[in-house]
Amino acid sequence: TYVVVENCIKCKYQDCVEVCPVDCFYEGENFLVINPDECIDCGVCEPECPAEAILPDTEPNLEKWIELNTKYAELW
Ligand code: SF4
């Protein structure tokens, strides 16, 4: 799955939301999150993000962000 990280905070772009084929972006507290259960790992959103705030969850040191994406996605 892909995960939204810090650079997304207060970002006003929604390019990722528009390209996601499964609509798995949701509003977090002050940034967007990806629902890990719905993301199909297509990777389309990553290059579309102007803030470079989307990373594959296989990158190192993302534990905190993986947790936050899961937490906020589950509120919906
Ligand atoms: Fe959506 Fe694909 Fe990005 Fe997952 S990797 S959030 S399915 S666009």
Side-chain angles (χ1 to χ4, degrees):
T1 185
Y2 278 69
V3 60
V4 180
V5 301
E6 189 154 20
N7 288 2
C8 178
I9 294 174
K10 305 218 169 90
C11 168
K12 299 289 178 231
Y13 296 99
Q14 300 271 331
D15 301 44
C16 53
V17 179
E18 281 165 34
V19 297
C20 180
V22 294
D23 285 331
C24 65
F25 281 91
Y26 296 87
E27 292 281 347
E29 204 167 47
N30 53 6
F31 63 105
L32 293 175
V33 298
I34 291 171
N35 184 331
D37 294 332
E38 294 174 0
C39 175
I40 56 170
D41 233 2
C42 71
V44 168
C45 56
E46 187 183 7
E48 295 298 325
C49 176
E52 296 186 12
I54 303 174
L55 298 171
D57 73 350
T58 48
E59 295 277 315
N61 305 317
L62 292 182
E63 291 81 4
K64 172 186 158 192
W65 293 99
I66 292 168
E67 235 174 74
L68 287 172
N69 278 244
T70 304
K71 175 181 159 190
Y72 286 110
E74 281 174 354
L75 297 177
W76 289 87

